[in-house]
Amino acid sequence: MVAPVAARRRTRAGSARIRFGFAVIAVYVVAAAIGPWLFRYNPVDTRTADRLKPPFTRLSDGSFAIFGTDQVGQDLLAQMLQGARISIAVGLATLLLAGTIGVTIGLAAGYFGGWLDGVLMRLADIQLAFPSILLAIFIAALLGPSVVNVVIVLAVANWVTFARVARGQALATRRREFVDASRTLGAGTWRLVTRCVLPACVAPVLVVATVEIGHVILAEASLSFLGLGTPASTPSWGVTIANGRNYLADAWWISTIPGIALAFLVISLGVLGDALRDRYDPRLRSL
Amino acid sequence: MVLLSVRDLRVEFATSGGVVTAVDGASFDVGSGETVALLGESGSGKSVTAQAVMGIVPKPAGRVCGGSISYDGRDLLAPGVAKGLRGREIAMVFQDPLSSLNPVFRVGAQIGEMFRRHRGASRREARAAALDLMKRVGIPAASKRLDDYPHQFSGGMRQRVMIAMALALSPRLLIADEPTTALDVTVQAQIMDLLTRLQAEEGMSLVLITHDLGVVAGVADRVILMYAGRVVETGSLREVYEHSGHPYTSGLMASVPAVDGPRDRLVPIQGSPPDLLSLPSGCSFRPRCQYADEQCAEVEPVLRQLPDRPSTHQAACHHPEGVLTDVH
Amino acid sequence: MGAYVVRRLFFSLFVLWGAVTIIFVVLRLVPGDPAYIMLGPDADQAQVAALRAQLGLDQSLIQQYATYLANVVHLDFGESFRLNADSMSLVLQRVPATIQLATTALLLSLLIGLPLGVIAALRAHSWVDRAISVFSLMGQSTPSFWLGIVLILVFARGLKVLPSAGSGSWAHLVLPTITLALPFLAILVRLTRSGLLEVVHEGYVQTARAKGLGEGIVVLVHAMRNALIPIVTVVGLQFGALLGGTVIVETVFAWPGVGRLLIDSIGRRDYGVVQASILLVATIFVLINLLVDLLYGFLDPRVRLAGD
């Protein structure tokens, strides 16, 4: 009888949070998509005359460097736009790979149950009991820095969450009447899983993906900062921030500005993920 | 002598559907040493009334927004007054003893806490006092069970623990909110016997909140019936039972097995319990009432003495004569 | 309680075995000759042959696994070719520094995170709560390596009040501790708030109020003891992120711990040290979680007494 008034207020605030999250992320996606065309970035282009110029400087070629330049005279904004492209692409690719692996394993475990479920979920337990960044560092160290390797590494470190969600949905759906009905009508396992069980996973998996993508982007930046992510020639945010570390005394902006851009994106993704989770599936909070 | 006096109490709750008036102008008295039954369906406001008396209306959703509650001449709604009396003078026993006991503390410690926090007793003194109380409420092998946790007790034993805790500081008023509802039928009678025995021993006032007339029959001196946040009838149990002056009361009487009379067919009250978010104008019981007319839709009935009945028997109905003659 | 402890101990051993096996599998799954990958392109044939022999690469996979397990049990991760020392002892030398950093960060998180979470829950939906929520969200989303750099810029280069790198004094510990603690602290605030909000409407909290106990006792004793049960579990799991964070923080602040050794060893392709550091950190994490499980049993009598 007494659901507090706050619940009502929260729902309304929830839609504001969802709008805010989507708006900021849209800005980043658009910037990542068209920015690199507007502000050309050429990794081999070095202009010593424009080295380490502070923000709001007019450069030797007459262009205006709103965020300043780096140690080889590259425009920081152009570099960051390219970095946004890499971060978002790596994030999406990782989620796609981790989601595919995780959902497949989760569905198999939840739908078939038995020893398969036992083995797969113990594997998940082991991996959860292992700090995921360490696993990522280990694999990345062996594979060497490259964009594709980062995606593989982060997918391996993140599939467990998806597997747990998919398994939960499969367990819940397996016993529902329409699944029983389809089985009675002679539908095969493959058909049952793809037509009945898989669709039930879509919404919770999307919510989890929103929550996870911020973590993935942060992890990519951390790996790149450590020199284990994208190669030094690829200007991801982590690489740019790492490069700026050597010039902290003369050029504070190289490390700080990309970090702000990164933090703001991750905050927005966090706000959006939390709001979606609160709205559509509060049970996922414990994952 | 009046111990507790509630006047025009109003309690509102903010819900997802809007603001609900859970208690809407309730007034009643409880005398010293008296046993009073507060009867009503769920949502009638009886439990919220008790929370208001204790000063534990859930915040921030609920708030007391009108009326007065005085206990032994003190204003319970004044800041800090209820807080000082809770546990010492006024105690409460809740419906579900499992969720009402803290799962992570030993029952002896939970009872002893009353002496430690209120009386500054030492650990050993509190333990001894808790043991005495557990024996008094009839917990077998009390000295062994002192160090058990609530989940190791049966429902009836848990409720005995709750009662022991409530009685610790010899309160003058005990409010029992559906004390037997969550228990097995066989245990219900034992708990009621325990409550009445302790009430007699302590000479305290007892307010029994229940939806079940059978529970209070033979126990309560007086009954107060609530419907949709209002008091609709009050009087001695016998008066109210034999000469119901409100159609809701007579419906309620007809829907429970007779206490001592012949077992007629049970007649449920027609219609559904009131929706507090959209109460009808005038009398809230109107949509379920066979006597309802235009007056009932326009004027909210107030409690008044019934014709040819003692002054203590009052009902809030425009047509008590019809109810009185129809039933008997 | 006995059965519960034994069960948790077995699970911890199982997880450690799993971690060891994952490392083995990953080393063999990576395309190419493990000895060659581990030594890098500039290694000479003699070195590769030596490592191949040490790893038993000419044996069957099962024999390799057995050799590997035996080595791990004896804490034998081989010699570090680069540093001419036993890999495990190199790592063990660095452990105290990492533990010091992780412990101070944990203490700072608990000291600030728990009270902030309690305040946010008590003042739920007020501006104070919102401010704390924003702080917590920012703490979780800020990249630690970036935060470390900003702190160095402000406090070491700008204000010149704290050292920017190295170790040796309490002043050296301040910035790395803050950097490492912030994400963990932010999660702790969130967990405490939601955990407390979940129990404040429970019957026993109402009972505690009805008993006439002061609001402080009601919240900090009756509600908090119950709220802590789920908090402790998640805190144990999140401690892994804190341990992982030491790698980054030690790199940024040149803190001489296991994390920095790990990154340096990766740069030197010193894989014996890499394996030893990762397994050691994983072991610390497993031990912490074992401790958390035991604490969980202590906090919740229903778990503790279930087996008896």
Side-chain angles (χ1 to χ4, degrees):
Chain A
M1 183 191 83
V2 283
V5 72
R8 200 174 156 74
R9 217 182 289 141
R10 223 178 300 143
T11 319
R12 271 191 255 117
S15 52
R17 276 151 63 201
I18 289 172
R19 275 199 295 275
F20 165 82
F22 270 123
V24 174
I25 290 152
V27 170
Y28 273 85
V29 169
V30 169
I34 62 172
W37 277 311
L38 299 176
F39 300 87
R40 285 274 167 206
Y41 173 76
N42 181 355
V44 291
D45 185 19
T46 51
R47 283 173 296 181
T48 38
D50 292 330
R51 286 183 76 238
L52 306 174
K53 288 279 181 282
F56 308 110
T57 307
R58 192 161 296 281
L59 301 181
S60 56
D61 63 353
S63 63
F64 189 69
I66 187 164
F67 288 159
T69 61
D70 71 0
Q71 67 280 7
V72 291
Q74 292 274 11
D75 180 35
L76 195 59
L77 175 64
Q79 209 175 128
M80 281 169 59
L81 290 168
Q82 191 70 32
R85 204 176 249 201
I86 294 163
S87 283
I88 293 172
V90 167
L92 288 177
T94 302
L95 289 182
L96 207 65
L97 188 59
T100 312
I101 300 172
V103 169
T104 309
I105 291 180
L107 283 183
Y111 188 84
F112 296 109
W115 65 269
L116 186 68
D117 185 35
V119 169
L120 291 174
M121 286 304 112
R122 287 296 81 72
L123 188 67
D125 283 345
I126 291 176
Q127 198 175 323
L128 277 187
F130 199 92
S132 64
I133 187 86
L134 277 187
L135 184 65
I137 286 175
F138 181 58
I139 303 177
L142 290 171
L143 292 179
S146 93
V147 174
V148 175
N149 288 350
V150 176
V151 172
I152 294 173
V153 161
L154 292 177
V156 170
N158 282 291
W159 64 273
V160 175
T161 319
F162 292 96
R164 292 197 145 193
V165 172
R167 175 176 175 268
Q169 287 294 322
L171 281 176
T173 322
R174 190 169 62 159
R175 295 191 188 87
R176 295 269 288 281
E177 281 159 27
F178 69 94
V179 178
D180 277 341
S182 312
R183 194 180 294 128
T184 319
L185 290 173
T189 299
W190 174 252
R191 199 178 158 78
L192 275 174
V193 170
T194 50
R195 293 292 167 85
C196 299
V197 185
L198 189 62
C201 300
V202 172
V205 163
L206 282 180
V207 171
V208 169
T210 318
V211 177
E212 286 292 303
I213 188 166
H215 301 163
V216 169
I217 289 179
L218 214 51
E220 178 269 317
S222 303
L223 281 182
S224 299
F225 173 82
L226 292 172
L228 299 169
T230 58
S233 57
T234 318
S236 72
W237 290 337
V239 168
T240 308
I241 293 170
N243 287 339
R245 263 184 84 202
N246 301 324
Y247 303 92
L248 283 186
D250 319 302
W252 55 267
W253 52 91
I254 305 175
S255 282
T256 29
I257 296 178
I260 293 172
L262 171 59
F264 197 56
L265 175 62
V266 176
I267 288 175
S268 307
L269 285 166
V271 169
L272 181 65
D274 285 353
L276 288 178
R277 184 175 53 185
D278 288 350
R279 170 171 289 193
Y280 295 108
D281 210 346
R283 284 175 302 120
L284 293 173
R285 206 167 301 176
S286 57
L287 290 167
Chain B
M1 194 202 101
V2 173
L3 184 65
L4 177 75
S5 174
V6 175
R7 287 289 170 274
D8 299 317
L9 181 69
R10 283 175 61 87
V11 183
E12 287 182 354
F13 272 86
T15 72
S16 51
V19 173
V20 151
T21 307
V23 181
D24 188 8
S27 300
F28 61 88
D29 291 329
V30 178
S32 241
E34 192 184 23
T35 302
V36 175
L38 204 52
L39 270 168
E41 303 166 300
S42 62
S44 62
K46 54 193 194 313
S47 294
V48 177
T49 304
Q51 288 174 335
V53 171
M54 294 294 287
I56 55 171
V57 174
K59 280 182 272 188
R63 69 187 186 100
V64 176
C65 56
S68 65
I69 305 175
S70 77
Y71 169 85
D72 200 18
R74 278 168 283 184
D75 178 7
L76 277 189
L77 294 180
V81 175
K83 162 97 225 317
L85 295 174
R86 279 205 291 271
R88 299 167 190 261
E89 293 262 331
I90 312 174
M92 190 158 172
V93 172
F94 297 94
Q95 172 173 343
D96 178 10
L98 180 57
S99 65
S100 301
L101 287 167
N102 199 322
V104 301
F105 295 118
R106 299 174 197 278
V107 296
Q110 291 192 55
I111 300 172
E113 189 178 22
M114 295 300 283
F115 302 100
R116 284 169 57 80
R117 304 271 186 218
H118 288 285
R119 297 266 164 84
S122 71
R123 211 172 275 271
R124 182 180 301 182
E125 289 163 354
R127 197 177 157 83
L131 181 62
D132 283 347
L133 277 166
M134 283 172 73
K135 285 180 184 155
R136 224 182 127 198
V137 297
I139 294 173
S143 56
K144 280 186 195 142
R145 310 229 60 188
L146 209 53
D147 291 324
D148 280 352
Y149 290 92
H151 74 273
Q152 296 168 299
F153 285 77
S154 68
M157 288 300 143
R158 280 181 205 131
Q159 196 59 294
R160 285 175 197 266
V161 171
M162 277 301 288
I163 292 170
M165 211 153 74
L167 284 179
L169 305 181
S170 305
R172 289 164 71 197
L173 171 63
L174 177 65
I175 303 173
D177 188 356
E178 306 264 11
T180 61
T181 308
L183 305 178
D184 289 344
V185 182
T186 47
V187 184
Q188 289 187 351
Q190 296 171 11
I191 294 294
M192 283 312 297
D193 287 348
L194 175 67
L195 277 173
T196 45
R197 194 193 86 212
L198 292 167
Q199 190 248 350
E201 286 173 15
E202 296 272 322
M204 62 187 176
S205 307
L206 177 62
V207 175
L208 276 168
I209 298 174
T210 181
H211 66 280
D212 184 356
L213 194 69
V215 167
V216 295
V219 175
D221 303 317
R222 214 147 53 76
V223 296
I224 297 162
L225 278 114
M226 289 187 73
Y227 186 83
R230 291 170 192 160
V231 175
V232 290
E233 183 158 2
T234 164
S236 73
L237 185 61
R238 180 156 289 275
E239 276 289 331
V240 169
Y241 183 70
E242 288 176 358
H243 309 283
S244 307
H246 193 282
Y248 174 65
T249 319
S250 60
L252 203 64
M253 301 298 162
S255 67
V256 293
V259 181
D260 45 11
R263 303 213 158 215
D264 297 332
R265 274 181 53 218
L266 303 180
V267 188
I269 305 177
Q270 56 170 330
S272 46
D275 174 10
L276 291 177
L277 279 167
S278 55
L279 284 179
S281 63
C283 175
S284 314
F285 191 66
R286 180 163 61 84
R288 302 168 78 179
C289 179
Q290 53 173 314
Y291 308 100
D293 61 11
E294 281 167 29
Q295 188 192 7
C296 302
E298 285 158 14
V299 185
E300 187 187 318
V302 294
L303 271 181
R304 57 196 172 105
Q305 191 187 339
L306 292 161
D308 308 323
R309 310 296 339 150
S311 64
T312 51
H313 188 187
Q314 300 181 323
C317 179
H318 292 303
H319 308 291
E321 304 81 3
V323 185
L324 283 166
T325 39
D326 265 18
V327 175
H328 303 282
Chain C
M1 188 86 193
Y4 175 74
V5 173
V6 170
R7 232 179 13 253
R8 300 320 300 173
L9 260 172
F10 265 104
F11 182 72
S12 299
L13 282 176
F14 173 70
V15 167
L16 273 181
W17 166 78
V20 168
T21 306
I22 286 179
I23 289 183
F24 177 81
V25 170
V26 168
L27 266 171
R28 297 303 184 279
L29 271 185
V30 172
D33 184 332
Y36 186 73
I37 292 170
M38 286 168 73
L39 289 170
D42 50 345
D44 59 48
Q45 283 304 313
Q47 279 176 325
V48 173
L51 188 59
R52 284 189 63 92
Q54 190 203 327
L55 296 174
L57 286 186
D58 38 6
Q59 297 166 309
S60 72
L61 265 183
I62 296 188
Q63 280 174 315
Q64 288 179 36
Y65 183 56
T67 315
Y68 174 77
L69 275 187
N71 287 342
V72 168
V73 170
H74 293 110
L75 299 181
D76 178 8
F77 292 89
E79 285 276 302
S80 161
F81 292 113
R82 305 291 190 275
L83 300 174
N84 289 321
D86 175 56
S87 297
M88 198 63 195
S89 41
L90 280 174
V91 175
L92 287 173
Q93 281 168 20
R94 301 291 194 101
V95 167
T98 296
I99 293 206
Q100 186 190 21
L101 183 59
T103 316
T104 46
L106 179 69
L107 285 180
L108 182 73
S109 306
L110 291 173
L111 235 52
I112 298 177
L114 285 178
L116 277 187
V118 172
I119 292 170
L122 290 183
R123 302 263 177 280
H125 310 296
S126 69
W127 68 267
V128 182
D129 175 33
R130 258 159 238 214
I132 293 175
S133 294
V134 169
F135 166 75
S136 156
L137 186 69
M138 284 170 58
Q140 274 178 278
S141 309
T142 307
S144 331
F145 57 92
W146 176 77
L147 177 70
I149 289 171
V150 170
L151 289 178
I152 289 174
L153 267 175
V154 174
F155 292 100
R157 300 204 180 266
L159 301 173
K160 298 192 194 305
V161 288
L162 289 166
S164 67
S167 64
S169 74
W170 286 103
H172 283 97
L173 201 54
V174 176
L175 295 183
T177 300
I178 294 173
T179 311
L180 186 59
L182 188 69
F184 190 69
L185 186 163
I187 288 172
L188 201 59
V189 168
R190 225 175 130 123
L191 285 172
T192 310
R193 178 187 183 272
S194 63
L196 208 49
L197 280 183
E198 240 158 66
V199 300
V200 287
H201 295 297
E202 291 287 338
Y204 51 82
V205 177
Q206 190 180 38
T207 304
R209 288 211 174 88
K211 283 163 93 173
L213 306 177
E215 198 57 24
I217 306 250
V218 170
V219 173
L220 295 179
V221 177
H222 283 266
M224 200 60 188
R225 251 307 287 277
N226 285 277
L228 272 178
I229 294 169
I231 292 174
V232 156
T233 316
V234 187
V235 162
L237 286 176
Q238 289 297 333
F239 194 78
L242 186 132
L243 281 175
T246 58
V247 176
I248 289 161
V249 172
E250 288 178 8
T251 304
V252 172
F253 291 99
W255 185 262
V258 180
R260 178 132 180 271
L261 177 68
L262 170 65
I263 295 300
D264 290 348
S265 304
I266 289 174
R268 287 194 295 262
R269 298 192 148 264
D270 206 347
Y271 280 87
V273 180
V274 170
Q275 287 178 58
S277 352
I278 287 184
L279 271 182
L280 198 94
V281 177
T283 308
I284 295 176
F285 182 52
V286 168
L287 285 179
I288 296 274
N289 270 295
L290 180 63
L291 221 71
V292 162
D293 282 336
L294 299 184
L295 186 63
Y296 187 91
F298 168 77
L299 285 173
D300 192 344
R302 287 160 295 188
V303 172
R304 190 191 329 154
L305 302 171
D308 301 354

